[in-house]
Amino acid sequence: MSITSTLTVDSDPLYSSLIFRGITVELSAEDDHFLRDVLHLVSELKLNDRYVDKADLLSRESSPGVWDANEPLILPEIVVHFTLSVFAELGGEGLQLVASQELYGTDLCDRLREPVAILLDGHENYPSMILKAKITTAADIFRQALGGEQSNNQTGESRVQDSAPISGDQTGNFEGLLQLLSQVNPDNDGSFPSYGSDNFGNCEDINRRIEMEEKAVRSTPDSHPDKPSRLSNLGTSLLRRFERLGNVDDLNSAIARHQAAVDLTPNGHPDKHLLLNNLGSSLLRRFERLGNVDDLDSATVRLQAAVNLTPDGHPDKYLLLNNLGSSLLRRFERLGNVDDLDRAIARLQTAVNPTPDGHPDKPSWLNNLGSSLLRRFERLGNVDDLNSAIARHQAAVNLSPDGHPYNSSLLNNLGSSLLRRFERLGNVDDLDSGIERLQAAVNLSPDGHPYKPGLLNNLGSSLIRRFERLGNLDDLNSAIARNQAAVNLTPDGHPDKPSRLNNLGNYLIRRFEHLGNVDDAEASIVQFSAASLSPVGYPSVRLAAAREWIGAAITTNHTSLLTACECATTIIPLVAWLGLSILDRHQHLAQIGGIVRDVASIAISLGKCDKAIEWLEQGRSIVWTQILQLRTPVDELGAVEPDLAGRLLHVSSLLDQGMKSTKSHHEGEPSLEEEAQQYRALARERDEIIERIRSLPRFGDFLRPPKLHQLVNAAKEGPVVVLNVSNIRCDALALVYGADEVIHIPLPDLTSEKITQLQAEFNSILKSSGVRLRAVRDEEVEVGGDEGCKRILAELWDYLVKPVLDSLAFC
């Protein structure tokens, strides 16, 4: 095929000509602005494994004229002629289009309308509604250029100058081209991929794109008016490669390019709000990956500035408000400031209200608003917020067209919101509706989809709720089947796998309790142990799994009981000292104390009193360090090796990121296996850091329980007695200086319930005497209730003190 369209050409070599499979279009400088738009459009299309490389176009340093037609700038003829039709409508006055009526008929124009609309709808960083209207007009001009009749949309005078048949032997197959159109995206009824989706192809394609864009940036002086846009394009490509491969260096480079683009753009420039938006969005991605609150604050500032620069009524305003609202929601989830949540809801509501139902972005904006309202319900408990969240999620589902790639996520969020309302109000209709939506979400997701395991996990949780409410064993069996599928689809090393393993183990234990099949209990141990021993995942989830492992092992008298206890004590320091805020640490203190007492009791029952006292001392140290706000082992490390301590905290934070409650959808993000590989690498790095720390003087037992020989030194001035009270048993352990073993003193008449009762009675006596539990130390307080105190002390003597003294031969 040889079609030539010509214009007078300006001296700018970057836009001198385009070649599409032997088709040359030369444009004047006045067409530059629109040409960039069209290049952005066609460069995103990956067709027949080839695409037009925008960066390659921008980086050429050639004189005006025709490029070598053999160079790899290839698109199917349909896309070529459609692009030319757009030029015909919106290009320069002198554009001449040569097309063949024999090859292309009016039916082709009808086939172009729908895929082009789909092509544009998915893009979030471009005023797609405006460009779509222009392209609809261009399709009519294209029809006229081909000799067909104009559609009912009157578009005014065409700029097409003439039309002539293709000369010589350049013929084609119209039916074949229509078939090619239908093969562009076989999974979507013949439509093109969504405009803006990251159809980069393989890593080689991504790398080549970045290489070309880097050349374009290097060849453009800072004073050139196009330098900011080229920097921004490069930043966007680097960001997409980060999302594909997970290399944080790409993310940092993307932010640097977006920052440079903003810095080079003067105030008042019509595109500055978009550049600020791109910078803010990149900073938000780095926060989501690394968890640095400074990035979150900076992102919010940039996104707010983008909104401030955009006047009301501007087509980009609502997109920017949505992005700002999402950033504020992330900050609320991280810092807990309700003001951020209220502001997020206000911004998202402002974006949604004026947006017509036909707008392609409205479903996602409604979804974001619903998620924010659900967060506020969870924080403040106002059922009106919960009802509003459900209404927004339902509207998002209703407005999203069939076949949209995010329909499964929208249905999942709606189902989860309905489940929350059931938990709050107890209406089984909500539970049934929630399960129906969650099942639909699962049905829409193929097994290879990265969110399929999470959807299955959520469906399993809802089925368990219905089993708990109605007692139907079919629901329990279905929940187990769904969670087993979720586990199977989640690769080892993925940060969400411990949670899914733990859920599956719990469901199997529930069936064991219901039916008494020991196989279910033993199968639960397999799940709990895998979750606990995982090198990745949120430590509190792994600790909860270890506790369930201990309980199941006790129930079945399983041989792994002591191993389960050792695993729990290994995880406890990670929960207490790594990757958690002070508030989170305090929330876990009660759980940690209970687990430590239980594992110590189990060790005593198994004749491992040395283990028991080591674990008790570790637990005592952790709990009192937090209560008294003393220096943690990580603080002590930071005082002598600040870089090493910082690296340990940083890697631990990265490992925790996979378990955060909110995850954004990003095109081209790594597969589950790729993500698992990244987290496995981080886990290995943390282990290496800890081993390096343990090689330092005074840090040989870093994050490990103290050894018995170290504890015995505390008994130089007299025996040290440690009391352990748990629901399993009550004992005292005594250390005597010079003794080879721990002295075990059983306390058979003392129980956890008795200690709780005596504590309550003593607190009541203090309260009736006007004594606060945290009394002022420098005041002498006379406590009444002598008889009550004497009785309490007498019981403690009988149950505790006398047995200890007798064993130590003091009486």
Side-chain angles (χ1 to χ4, degrees):
M1 168 179 279
S2 177
I3 298 178
T4 303
S5 302
T6 60
L7 262 180
T8 56
V9 181
D10 194 61
S11 60
D12 187 351
L14 291 175
Y15 292 100
S16 60
S17 62
L18 297 173
I19 294 181
F20 299 96
R21 207 178 216 174
I23 299 174
T24 303
V25 181
E26 297 185 355
L27 299 171
S28 66
E30 62 188 304
D31 299 312
D32 268 10
H33 182 72
F34 181 70
L35 175 58
R36 289 178 218 157
D37 292 343
V38 176
L39 284 178
H40 191 68
L41 172 71
V42 298
S43 67
E44 299 295 344
L45 290 174
K46 179 171 180 273
L47 304 168
N48 293 348
D49 297 322
R50 302 298 296 272
Y51 62 86
V52 169
D53 192 327
K54 177 184 176 184
D56 190 73
L57 297 172
L58 295 180
S59 64
R60 294 179 182 274
E61 297 185 6
S62 61
S63 58
V66 177
W67 293 339
D68 184 358
N70 294 321
E71 294 188 21
L73 295 174
I74 299 174
L75 279 180
E77 287 88 344
I78 287 177
V79 180
V80 172
H81 281 276
F82 172 69
T83 304
L84 293 178
S85 74
V86 178
F87 290 167
E89 168 60 14
L90 298 170
E93 291 291 333
L95 181 63
Q96 298 178 1
L97 173 65
V98 180
S100 169
Q101 171 128 16
E102 296 178 5
L103 184 61
Y104 301 107
T106 56
D107 288 343
L108 178 59
C109 298
D110 295 331
R111 293 295 298 271
L112 283 172
R113 289 183 182 277
E114 181 179 359
V116 168
I118 296 172
L119 182 72
L120 295 176
D121 281 349
H123 190 54
E124 296 182 351
N125 295 315
Y126 198 85
S128 59
M129 294 295 287
I130 293 177
L131 188 54
K132 179 162 48 174
K134 293 179 179 180
I135 288 180
T136 300
T137 300
D140 284 325
I141 300 299
F142 190 23
R143 185 192 300 275
Q144 289 181 314
L146 298 174
E149 296 180 359
Q150 190 172 2
S151 70
N152 292 331
N153 288 334
Q154 298 300 317
T155 59
E157 182 178 358
S158 169
R159 292 178 182 171
V160 177
Q161 301 301 313
D162 57 51
S163 177
I166 297 177
S167 60
D169 60 354
Q170 306 301 327
T171 60
N173 187 318
F174 177 60
E175 293 299 326
L177 290 177
L178 291 182
Q179 183 179 6
L180 176 62
L181 176 61
S182 67
Q183 292 174 349
V184 169
N185 187 351
D187 295 327
N188 195 23
D189 301 327
S191 62
F192 284 115
S194 294
Y195 176 47
S197 65
D198 295 312
N199 295 308
F200 284 94
N202 56 35
C203 295
E204 183 179 349
D205 292 334
I206 302 174
N207 294 336
R208 180 173 180 270
R209 182 189 187 105
I210 290 174
E211 181 181 355
M212 293 299 103
E213 288 179 338
E214 285 176 338
K215 289 180 180 178
V217 166
R218 287 195 300 268
S219 65
T220 307
D222 288 350
S223 58
H224 195 286
D226 293 330
K227 182 67 173 277
S229 65
R230 294 170 190 174
L231 282 163
S232 185
N233 291 338
L234 175 57
T236 299
S237 296
L238 288 163
L239 180 62
R240 296 301 180 264
R241 187 167 69 180
F242 157 74
E243 290 170 347
R244 178 71 178 270
L245 303 178
N247 188 335
V248 177
D249 290 340
D250 280 336
L251 180 55
N252 293 332
S253 296
I255 292 171
R257 300 314 189 276
H258 284 308
Q259 183 66 65
V262 169
D263 293 341
L264 288 175
T265 304
N267 293 332
H269 191 282
D271 292 335
K272 186 151 190 175
H273 64 292
L274 293 176
L275 299 177
L276 282 164
N277 176 74
N278 292 343
L279 174 58
S281 298
S282 299
L283 287 163
L284 186 60
R285 289 293 287 121
R286 190 164 67 182
F287 161 74
E288 291 171 344
R289 176 60 188 270
L290 304 182
N292 188 333
V293 177
D294 289 341
D295 280 335
L296 180 56
D297 289 337
S298 296
T300 305
V301 169
R302 272 40 171 214
L303 294 170
Q304 182 66 66
V307 168
N308 294 344
L309 287 176
T310 310
D312 293 340
H314 192 286
D316 298 333
K317 181 84 171 193
Y318 308 126
L319 166 68
L320 302 180
L321 283 165
N322 174 78
N323 292 348
L324 174 59
S326 299
S327 178
L328 289 164
L329 176 61
R330 299 293 186 280
R331 193 161 69 179
F332 160 75
E333 291 173 339
R334 179 59 182 265
L335 303 179
N337 188 337
V338 178
D339 288 342
D340 280 335
L341 182 56
D342 290 338
R343 290 174 61 203
I345 291 172
R347 302 309 185 275
L348 293 168
Q349 190 70 64
T350 303
V352 165
N353 285 344
T355 304
D357 287 349
H359 192 286
D361 294 324
K362 189 162 186 176
S364 67
W365 298 352
L366 281 164
N367 178 70
N368 292 342
L369 176 58
S371 297
S372 299
L373 288 163
L374 184 62
R375 296 293 181 275
R376 190 162 69 182
F377 160 74
E378 293 169 343
R379 178 61 179 268
L380 303 179
N382 188 335
V383 177
D384 289 341
D385 280 334
L386 178 57
N387 291 332
S388 295
I390 292 172
R392 299 318 189 275
H393 283 308
Q394 182 66 65
V397 169
N398 294 343
L399 290 175
S400 185
D402 292 341
H404 194 283
Y406 286 162
N407 279 350
S408 60
S409 295
L410 300 180
L411 285 163
N412 174 73
N413 293 341
L414 173 58
S416 298
S417 298
L418 288 163
L419 183 61
R420 293 307 307 275
R421 189 163 69 183
F422 161 74
E423 293 171 344
R424 177 61 181 269
L425 302 179
N427 188 334
V428 177
D429 290 340
D430 281 335
L431 180 56
D432 290 338
S433 296
I435 291 173
E436 181 182 346
R437 287 358 181 249
L438 292 169
Q439 182 65 65
V442 168
N443 294 342
L444 287 175
S445 302
D447 286 348
H449 195 284
Y451 299 120
K452 181 72 172 274
L455 300 177
L456 285 162
N457 181 77
N458 293 345
L459 176 58
S461 297
S462 67
L463 289 163
I464 278 293
R465 297 292 185 277
R466 191 162 68 181
F467 165 74
E468 293 169 344
R469 177 64 178 268
L470 303 179
N472 189 333
L473 190 61
D474 288 341
D475 282 333
L476 177 57
N477 291 332
S478 294
I480 292 172
R482 300 311 188 277
N483 272 81
Q484 183 66 68
V487 167
N488 293 344
L489 289 173
T490 307
D492 292 339
H494 192 279
D496 292 330
K497 190 153 191 175
S499 175
R500 292 163 189 167
L501 287 163
N502 187 46
N503 289 344
L504 178 57
N506 278 306
Y507 302 162
L508 288 164
I509 278 292
R510 296 299 303 275
R511 191 164 68 181
F512 165 73
E513 294 169 349
H514 198 73
L515 301 178
N517 188 337
V518 178
D519 289 343
D520 282 335
E522 292 184 349
S524 74
I525 290 175
V526 173
Q527 313 307 319
F528 291 137
S529 61
S532 306
L533 295 170
S534 172
V536 302
Y538 211 39
S540 62
V541 172
R542 294 169 53 206
L543 183 59
R547 189 168 196 172
E548 296 295 339
W549 179 9
I550 291 168
I554 291 174
T555 300
T556 59
N557 195 26
H558 200 272
T559 56
S560 66
L561 179 56
L562 187 62
T563 302
C565 294
E566 291 175 333
C567 180
T569 60
T570 301
I571 299 171
I572 284 173
L574 303 181
V575 174
W577 290 326
L578 294 180
L580 290 177
S581 66
I582 293 176
L583 177 61
D584 289 334
R585 294 173 191 168
H586 281 286
Q587 290 174 343
H588 286 100
L589 284 183
Q591 180 189 19
I592 289 173
I595 292 176
V596 168
R597 293 191 295 270
D598 287 346
V599 298
S601 292
I602 292 168
I604 291 169
S605 297
L606 296 175
K608 303 290 184 179
C609 292
D610 54 341
K611 287 284 187 184
I613 201 165
E614 290 172 358
W615 292 344
L616 285 169
E617 174 59 20
Q618 180 191 48
R620 181 200 65 79
S621 173
I622 289 173
V623 171
W624 283 103
T625 294
Q626 302 299 330
I627 291 176
L628 301 178
Q629 297 183 351
L630 301 176
R631 283 160 57 96
T632 70
V634 179
D635 295 330
E636 294 174 355
L637 174 66
V640 295
E641 291 284 348
D643 292 341
L644 199 56
R647 185 60 188 165
L648 174 63
L649 291 173
H650 175 68
V651 173
S652 298
S653 176
L654 293 181
L655 281 167
D656 289 346
Q657 291 305 307
M659 294 297 297
K660 298 304 179 185
S661 59
T662 298
K663 290 184 178 181
S664 300
H665 295 293
H666 300 284
E667 297 291 342
E669 61 188 12
S671 67
L672 289 172
E673 179 57 39
E674 289 170 335
E675 191 175 0
Q677 290 174 3
Q678 295 169 17
Y679 279 93
R680 288 195 292 267
L682 286 171
R684 289 192 296 270
E685 183 177 358
R686 182 171 67 181
D687 290 343
E688 292 169 359
I689 292 171
I690 291 174
E691 287 305 310
R692 181 180 172 189
I693 293 170
R694 288 172 179 168
S695 69
L696 300 174
R698 299 190 299 108
F699 290 95
D701 290 321
F702 183 73
L703 301 185
R704 286 192 294 214
K707 301 300 183 184
L708 177 61
H709 68 84
Q710 297 169 314
L711 298 176
V712 169
N713 291 329
K716 284 184 177 181
E717 303 299 326
V720 174
V721 178
V722 178
L723 174 65
N724 185 51
V725 177
S726 80
N727 293 325
I728 298 174
R729 59 182 294 159
C730 294
D731 302 271
L733 300 174
L735 291 175
V736 177
Y737 190 69
D740 295 331
E741 297 180 350
V742 177
I743 299 174
H744 172 219
I745 306 169
L747 302 173
D749 296 325
L750 190 65
T751 64
S752 176
E753 292 78 8
K754 172 60 71 175
I755 289 293
T756 301
Q757 173 193 338
L758 293 176
Q759 180 187 29
E761 291 177 4
F762 189 64
N763 287 340
S764 178
I765 292 172
L766 293 177
K767 184 177 181 180
S768 64
S769 302
V771 179
R772 294 178 299 171
L773 292 182
R774 295 180 181 272
V776 180
R777 296 278 182 182
D778 58 357
E779 295 181 4
E780 293 187 5
V781 181
E782 183 178 350
V783 178
D786 288 344
E787 292 303 318
C789 286
K790 290 178 181 178
R791 183 181 58 79
I792 292 171
L793 293 173
E795 291 195 50
L796 288 174
W797 172 265
D798 292 336
Y799 299 144
L800 173 59
V801 179
K802 187 175 186 301
V804 170
L805 295 178
D806 287 345
S807 295
L808 294 176
F810 277 91
C811 297

